[in-house]
Amino acid sequence: MRLTVLLLFATLFVPFQLSNAQQSGKRALTTKDFSSWKTIENQAISNDGQWISFEINPQKGDGNLLIKSMSTDKTDTVHRGFEARFSPGSDFIVYKIKQPDDTIRLAKKKKLKKEQMPKDSLGIMVINSDKHYGFPNLKQFSLPKEADGWVAFLTDMKKPEKKVEKNGDKKAPESKTKAVADPATEQKYQLVLFHAASGDTLTYQNITEFYYAPSGHKISFVCQKKDSLDRAEVKVFDTNTRKANLLFKGTGTAKKLSSSRAGDRFAFLFSADTTKEKSYGLYAGALPSGASKLLLTKDGKGIPEGWTPSDLADLTFSEDGKLLYLGTNRKPIPEPKDTLLDEEKPVLDIWSWKDKELQPEQKINVEKEKKRSYRGVYSFGKGSFIQLADTVVKEIRTIQKGNGRFVLGIDQSPYKLESSWTGNSNADYYLTDLNTGDRRLIVQNKSNVMLSPGGKYVIWYNDNDSAYYACSTNAGSGGVISLSSKIPVSLCDERWDMPSEPNSYGIAGWSENDKYLFVYDRYDIWQIDPQNPNTPINITHLFGRKNNTRLRYVKLDPEEEFIDVSKPAILQAFDDRTKAEGFFSANLKQEADPLSLIMANKKFDKVIKAKNAPVLLWTRESVSEVPNIWSSNTAFEKPICMSDANPQQKSFVWPKVQLVHWTTFSGKVLEGLLYLPETIDTARKYPMIVYFYERNADNLNAFTPPSPTRSTVNRSFYASNDYLIFIPDITYETGNPGKSAFDAVVSGTQYLSNKYPFIDTKNIGVQGQSWGGYQAAWLITQTNLFKAAMAGAPVSNMTSAYGGIRWAAGVSRMFQYEHTQSRIGGTLWEKPLSFIENSPLFFAPQIQTPLLIMHNDTDGAVPWYQGIELFTAMRRLNKPAWMLSYNNEEHNLKAESWANRMDLTIRMKQFFDHYLKGEPMPSWMKNGLPAIRKGKELRY
């Protein structure tokens, strides 16, 4: 069977229209071309802006890491390299190296356990000397944030096999050693400390964890040895002196090691307990003395009675090292010994009407709750501990990298029950003062609440009036401040069409010391002074609204807390009319229009900047331009293309796209996208597939890589094979989602059919997935315009789906119909007719269009039975229908499920080829595939 499948994959989709492509010297894409099609990932730039790195990975098989000089033609290629990071000093680069794809495949075939699988290697390239080093059996590696010259990493416990290479030979060291596991303790590794400039290597054995201080120079680590008892040592290595000093030694277990940014203060948990359920104490110390002291233990001052520091949460120092955040929880209690057989115990779920979470949601959250701890903070200056979170206020948010005076606590419990049908995530918010430990309720029943980065205000967006509000964090300093009431335009989604309050456009950020808040409207940015909110200023001078151009602030520094208004900002731009994109420069302190830097009929994405140089990287693409990496200065002058991911593209027929506008039956003006093969012969007739999912016209310049589908038609692949693809935007009216889809889709299809004689109006198909799958199924109950339909994961019966569960999250589906995407706008008992009138199942007798359904048996979004209900109805009515149900697959096929994705690609294409192009019906459609032949035949 395997040989037959390979031959079919190789020969399928050689279309009869190939002669058109041959006239242009190009050929149509086939499924054979998918695996070798490459994508660019994980681009990075050195802090000095002189080097960049990026991965070019095929969709299946081994990829490459490219390391390129920005000033010369030098390029290094590392086979199978990935996740590269430049050193803070820009003097070397560190990366992982995967084992060959064939090696991994063989290991999987042998059904090796996870710990036996071939492991990644570590690669290091020293830029100035062009030396390459390799180390096998990598666990993890770490670099500091500031220049230090060292790399710290864990490998299996064996002397490191350092391999030095020069002159471009970057072959990865093979993984030959197996991990040495001590069954009585945690997995232990060796810590390798590598000095890039000299190539010197130091190793420490029996290491369970390590921590590299962000500013460099200090690498602390835990050594766990076992003879008759567990023995723990905590040490710190000084990269300047190249010596390791002992910080702590004890009989027991140490873990969760951390240090301050400078590495001069350290902390860890330690337990002398020999039982599985350990109670930990918090230890800390400071250099140069290095003496470790017990700071906090069970029932310590400030800890709730019966609670103890928890090993379920990391220890985190504030940026200045004066505070230490940790988790606490009840002291673990040993489970009583189970003496019963499984058959002697009842196994059931008890659903209670008073449960704030449904049982499925509780079950999904079981592991999360088992690992839950509650954050507290220890002040070294005061020598005291404050419990910040508890069983009510479970979540805590900090500001200023932990340095802030206040933290924001969140309690969702009062609104958790009703969230099952509202879909909201509202909560009460509490402010805790880290100086005093005082907690006070500050905002109730809101969802979008945050602390300003300077800690002066708590701000929130109010859904009911689409406005921003704030209050001072200083108690007694005043009431609620209305921030945006004087802004004359809407700050919420102007195109919102769901039966709920619209979302806001969001916040750009704050200026230093919380002086100004910057918020978005549809097009522009507004500056609000919380001290004087009655005089908001449009800092983009309404340029965006005047020109129908959306302007958004680009955060170039990942660690930025405040927007620096003293220097020009870069704004990303999107033209609503033409869909052109680009960048503007804006001086946030001067009254001048933003200055255009670059605008084009392209899509720009993934903008990053060198930390210490005016050098940018970004990606650029269009419908026919593969995303590649481009570089320029911060003014986008003289941009240079730095990559060529898919030079083979010029050999294939590619789509072109048109932005189309039409007026619907109800009088709405909508827009959509029409994809055509670049070799189109307007004297011919072409079949067309209509695909949709809400709004897509803004994606005019998006590139679609040819790849096996997860659920939808691939527009590049189908256009290359002489299909037209029409993607209309849809707007909705509450209570009539099906009729709204009909109004948009059918009117748009008829408009194009009348306008373009090359559309074969007798051979038009329709395809959608999820919400689009529902609409595709509903449309064929109302019109015979479509000759064939494919619906992925469709809701077919809103009355049964309404009370169902979204199994991936464990939550009720009610809110979708009452408030969000399904847009009924009421309960089943309030609007029963709306649920029925918008359900394809109740109109199944009217269907005359052959239907292909995909609905997978572990779909966590739309219950599997929805596809079954529609299929069994059509089967009983003797209407042509097929259902593909991929086993153990999700709502969309998983990205890693290559075989299933290829299979769906083939079957969907065969389905449409048969009905829209007159190709022979494949065996699986003609004769089905009996369960007894499952796994033995494919019947393509």
Side-chain angles (χ1 to χ4, degrees):
M1 184 211 44
R2 182 175 180 274
L3 178 60
T4 303
V5 172
L6 288 174
L7 287 174
L8 282 167
F9 269 52
T11 59
L12 194 68
F13 305 145
V14 179
F16 66 84
Q17 299 95 336
L18 201 58
S19 58
N20 267 353
Q22 288 172 336
Q23 291 175 9
S24 66
K26 299 182 177 184
R27 68 173 177 86
L29 287 160
T30 74
T31 54
K32 279 184 63 178
D33 302 309
F34 291 168
S35 62
S36 61
W37 198 268
K38 301 176 181 66
T39 57
I40 292 179
E41 300 173 291
N42 298 325
Q43 54 264 43
I45 186 167
S46 61
N47 284 348
D48 64 4
Q50 293 299 304
W51 290 83
I52 67 170
S53 70
F54 54 91
E55 299 163 29
I56 296 185
N57 295 318
Q59 296 187 73
K60 193 169 180 62
D62 298 324
N64 292 313
L65 170 70
L66 275 69
I67 306 168
K68 299 189 69 168
S69 168
M70 297 289 284
S71 56
T72 69
D73 293 333
K74 179 175 173 55
T75 300
D76 286 86
T77 301
V78 181
H79 193 41
R80 306 190 308 278
F82 71 111
E83 292 184 7
R85 287 182 58 194
F86 285 100
S87 67
S90 305
D91 49 348
F92 62 92
I93 184 171
V94 186
Y95 46 86
K96 297 179 183 178
I97 305 172
K98 297 177 183 178
Q99 289 297 313
D101 191 62
D102 289 345
T103 302
I104 299 296
R105 185 178 184 277
L106 181 61
K108 289 179 178 178
K109 194 173 181 180
K110 291 180 178 179
K111 298 183 179 179
L112 298 182
K113 296 179 180 179
K114 183 178 179 180
E115 61 271 16
Q116 297 173 316
M117 291 293 289
K119 295 177 175 59
D120 297 334
S121 298
L122 182 75
I124 301 169
M125 170 185 160
V126 182
I127 292 174
N128 291 334
S129 65
D130 197 28
K131 288 184 178 179
H132 296 257
Y133 299 88
F135 299 86
N137 302 309
L138 177 69
K139 169 66 175 176
Q140 67 183 86
F141 78 88
S142 181
L143 289 172
K145 291 184 178 180
E146 298 177 17
D148 193 28
W150 290 77
V151 186
F153 55 96
L154 293 180
T155 68
D156 288 349
M157 274 188 27
K158 182 184 177 184
K159 185 176 180 180
E161 301 175 10
K162 179 174 67 175
K163 183 173 181 180
V164 184
E165 300 156 341
K166 293 185 179 181
N167 302 323
D169 179 17
K170 274 74 68 181
K171 184 178 179 182
E174 297 298 327
S175 176
K176 297 179 180 179
T177 59
K178 293 184 178 180
V180 179
D182 185 341
T185 63
E186 295 182 64
Q187 173 71 56
K188 294 192 287 284
Y189 301 89
Q190 66 179 355
L191 173 65
V192 183
L193 306 178
F194 177 80
H195 187 249
S198 65
D200 293 344
T201 303
L202 299 172
T203 61
Y204 296 89
Q205 303 295 312
N206 298 297
I207 306 303
T208 53
E209 61 184 70
F210 74 97
Y211 187 86
Y212 205 149
S215 66
H217 307 305
K218 300 293 189 295
I219 304 168
S220 49
F221 53 93
V222 175
C223 175
Q224 286 282 165
K225 297 180 181 178
K226 183 177 178 65
D227 36 49
S228 58
L229 294 171
D230 281 323
R231 301 185 186 278
E233 292 181 349
V234 179
K235 296 181 178 181
V236 61
F237 177 82
D238 189 313
T239 61
N240 290 323
T241 64
R242 299 196 178 193
K243 292 182 180 179
N245 297 319
L246 182 67
L247 303 176
F248 175 84
K249 186 175 183 178
T251 301
T253 303
K255 62 194 323 184
K256 298 300 177 182
L257 179 62
S258 185
S259 79
S260 61
R261 182 181 180 91
D264 57 345
R265 198 186 293 273
F266 58 89
F268 58 92
L269 301 179
F270 176 78
S271 175
D273 293 348
T274 57
T275 60
K276 180 180 179 182
E277 295 81 9
K278 293 177 170 58
S279 179
Y280 286 89
L282 173 66
Y283 287 74
L287 299 175
S289 69
S292 301
K293 297 180 180 180
L294 177 62
L295 301 183
L296 206 59
T297 186
K298 176 181 175 292
D299 294 331
K301 187 176 180 181
I303 292 187
E305 184 178 356
W307 286 32
T308 184
S310 172
D311 66 331
L312 299 175
D314 292 332
L315 305 183
T316 307
F317 280 86
S318 61
E319 183 78 352
D320 61 11
K322 295 180 181 180
L323 301 174
L324 177 66
Y325 294 88
L326 65 147
T328 63
N329 208 334
R330 294 180 179 87
K331 180 183 177 181
I333 300 173
E335 292 282 347
K337 187 174 181 180
D338 190 353
T339 59
L340 296 176
L341 299 173
D342 288 345
E343 63 195 53
E344 296 173 327
K345 295 180 288 186
V347 181
L348 77 163
D349 302 324
I350 298 178
W351 298 46
S352 170
W353 67 288
K354 290 187 177 181
D355 286 346
K356 292 187 176 180
E357 291 182 349
L358 290 169
Q359 279 289 318
E361 186 176 5
Q362 291 184 45
K363 291 165 75 173
I364 285 173
N365 291 331
V366 162
E367 290 305 313
K368 177 182 176 181
E369 290 302 317
K370 285 181 180 178
K371 296 176 181 179
R372 182 182 289 280
S373 65
Y374 303 91
R375 290 184 82 184
V377 63
Y378 185 88
S379 169
F380 291 101
K382 296 181 178 180
S384 61
F385 173 79
I386 298 173
Q387 186 68 51
L388 300 174
D390 52 37
T391 55
V392 176
V393 180
K394 295 181 179 181
E395 184 183 346
I396 294 295
R397 294 178 189 167
T398 63
I399 54 171
Q400 299 173 19
K401 301 177 182 177
N403 287 341
R405 175 184 167 186
F406 299 99
V407 298
L408 194 66
I410 305 169
D411 174 20
Q412 290 186 319
S413 60
Y415 317 102
K416 190 63 179 175
L417 178 63
E418 66 187 52
S419 69
S420 285
W421 52 87
T422 66
N424 295 331
S425 54
N426 287 13
D428 293 338
Y429 292 81
Y430 294 81
L431 202 64
T432 300
D433 189 325
L434 297 188
N435 289 333
T436 64
D438 293 337
R439 175 197 285 178
R440 59 190 169 98
L441 178 64
I442 196 160
V443 181
Q444 288 182 283
N445 198 15
K446 302 297 178 189
S447 59
N448 297 308
V449 181
M450 65 193 75
L451 261 172
S452 60
K456 290 186 175 181
Y457 303 99
V458 173
I459 65 167
W460 63 93
Y461 176 78
N462 191 48
D463 292 329
N464 294 333
D465 61 1
S466 305
Y468 288 96
Y469 293 87
C471 64
S472 172
T473 55
N474 292 322
S477 62
V480 173
I481 306 166
S482 178
L483 294 174
S484 60
S485 61
K486 299 301 182 180
I487 294 178
V489 295
S490 175
L491 299 181
C492 64
D493 191 342
E494 296 178 6
R495 305 192 302 177
W496 192 261
D497 59 6
M498 294 186 190
S500 59
E501 299 299 335
N503 291 332
S504 71
Y505 285 110
I507 291 173
W510 289 78
S511 66
E512 191 170 6
N513 203 28
D514 293 347
K515 182 172 178 57
Y516 298 119
L517 169 66
F518 300 101
V519 301
Y520 295 126
D521 68 20
R522 180 174 178 179
Y523 297 107
D524 291 295
I525 306 175
W526 292 84
Q527 174 185 289
I528 302 171
D529 180 353
Q531 298 292 325
N532 186 17
N534 291 326
T535 57
I537 298 172
N538 189 284
I539 60 171
T540 48
H541 308 285
L542 298 177
F543 178 88
R545 188 165 293 272
K546 292 173 186 174
N547 295 278
N548 294 98
T549 299
R550 184 170 68 233
L551 300 171
R552 295 295 182 259
Y553 175 72
V554 179
K555 183 178 178 179
L556 295 175
D557 180 359
E559 296 190 7
E560 173 187 278
E561 292 185 272
F562 299 102
I563 296 175
D564 187 350
V565 297
S566 67
K567 59 185 181 181
I570 292 179
L571 308 179
Q572 189 151 17
F574 179 85
D575 190 317
D576 261 358
R577 298 161 302 180
T578 66
K579 315 305 178 185
E581 296 188 31
F583 297 91
F584 280 68
S585 174
N587 191 319
L588 303 183
K589 295 182 72 175
Q590 295 180 1
E591 293 186 5
D593 286 346
L595 175 66
S596 177
L597 301 175
I598 184 172
M599 284 293 287
N601 291 317
K602 308 286 182 182
K603 178 178 175 61
F604 297 90
D605 201 6
K606 301 177 182 176
V607 184
I608 58 175
K609 178 187 174 295
K611 182 177 182 179
N612 302 320
V615 181
L616 298 177
L617 290 185
W618 72 89
T619 60
R620 193 184 85 177
E621 65 185 89
S622 73
V623 67
S624 58
E625 180 181 334
V626 176
N628 274 303
I629 295 177
W630 289 73
S631 178
S632 74
N633 59 18
T634 52
F636 291 86
E637 295 171 327
K638 299 179 181 179
I640 302 171
C641 186
M642 305 298 296
S643 64
D644 187 8
N646 291 285
Q648 77 276 20
Q649 183 191 353
K650 59 181 177 290
S651 302
F652 299 108
V653 175
W654 213 254
K656 54 185 179 180
V657 63
Q658 294 181 8
L659 181 66
V660 295
H661 300 83
W662 74 98
T663 301
T664 70
F665 302 137
S666 65
K668 299 176 183 177
V669 177
L670 294 181
E671 53 189 5
L673 305 177
L674 177 63
Y675 292 83
L676 313 94
E678 61 182 340
T679 54
I680 190 167
D681 178 357
T682 56
R684 283 183 47 195
K685 295 283 188 180
Y686 290 80
M688 183 169 73
I689 297 175
V690 182
Y691 165 80
F692 40 77
Y693 194 99
E694 306 234 354
R695 297 176 188 262
N696 278 278
D698 286 356
N699 297 316
L700 174 73
N701 293 312
F703 179 85
T704 303
S707 61
T709 184
R710 296 178 62 189
S711 58
T712 64
V713 292
N714 183 287
R715 57 202 74 175
S716 296
F717 177 56
Y718 275 78
S720 185
N721 283 273
D722 280 355
Y723 276 94
L724 309 178
I725 309 294
F726 174 45
I727 306 180
D729 278 2
I730 305 173
T731 59
Y732 299 89
E733 295 179 358
T734 298
N736 294 301
K739 292 179 180 178
S740 298
F742 183 95
D743 182 48
V745 175
V746 175
S747 67
T749 303
Q750 290 185 353
Y751 166 78
L752 289 182
S753 298
N754 294 331
K755 181 175 182 178
Y756 296 115
F758 52 79
I759 295 176
D760 187 348
T761 57
K762 295 180 180 179
N763 288 294
I764 299 176
V766 64
Q767 198 273 329
Q769 163 71 12
S770 189
W771 179 238
Y774 152 72
Q775 291 167 104
W778 194 87
L779 282 171
I780 62 173
T781 70
Q782 306 298 310
T783 178
N784 296 326
L785 176 64
F786 305 108
K787 193 173 181 181
M790 192 278 179
V795 165
S796 61
N797 182 358
M798 287 191 174
T799 66
S800 59
Y802 171 75
I805 297 292
R806 289 184 68 96
W807 293 107
V811 299
S812 168
R813 292 176 51 83
M814 289 182 175
F815 72 91
Q816 294 175 242
Y817 297 88
E818 296 175 38
H819 302 290
T820 62
Q821 190 175 58
S822 298
R823 295 175 169 89
I824 295 299
T827 66
L828 179 60
W829 43 92
E830 290 170 337
K831 295 189 172 185
L833 291 181
S834 292
F835 281 82
I836 293 172
E837 290 170 354
N838 286 281
S839 295
L841 183 68
F842 294 97
F843 303 94
Q846 297 173 195
I847 297 176
Q848 297 184 31
T849 306
L851 176 64
L852 173 65
I853 302 169
M854 181 191 78
H855 215 144
N856 304 321
D857 56 14
T858 56
D859 190 325
V862 177
W864 182 35
Y865 58 75
Q866 288 294 311
I868 295 173
E869 286 190 45
L870 183 57
F871 173 78
T872 54
M874 292 186 69
R875 177 175 178 266
R876 175 170 180 172
L877 293 165
N878 197 32
K879 296 177 181 294
W882 298 262
M883 188 165 85
L884 309 176
S885 185
Y886 292 93
N887 301 157
N888 301 311
E889 283 284 2
E890 302 168 354
H891 189 55
N892 300 285
L893 297 178
K894 295 187 287 289
E896 62 270 22
S897 299
W898 184 265
N900 285 345
R901 290 171 59 197
M902 288 291 283
D903 185 83
L904 176 59
T905 300
I906 291 171
R907 296 189 197 278
M908 192 192 306
K909 180 71 160 44
Q910 288 181 328
F911 173 78
F912 281 125
D913 279 352
H914 170 68
Y915 282 109
L916 305 185
K917 287 188 173 182
E919 295 290 322
M921 180 178 281
S923 177
W924 66 270
M925 289 177 65
K926 184 182 299 184
N927 304 309
L929 180 59
I932 198 170
R933 301 303 299 165
K934 178 179 176 180
K936 299 179 176 64
E937 297 179 32
L938 296 176
R939 296 195 175 182
Y940 294 148

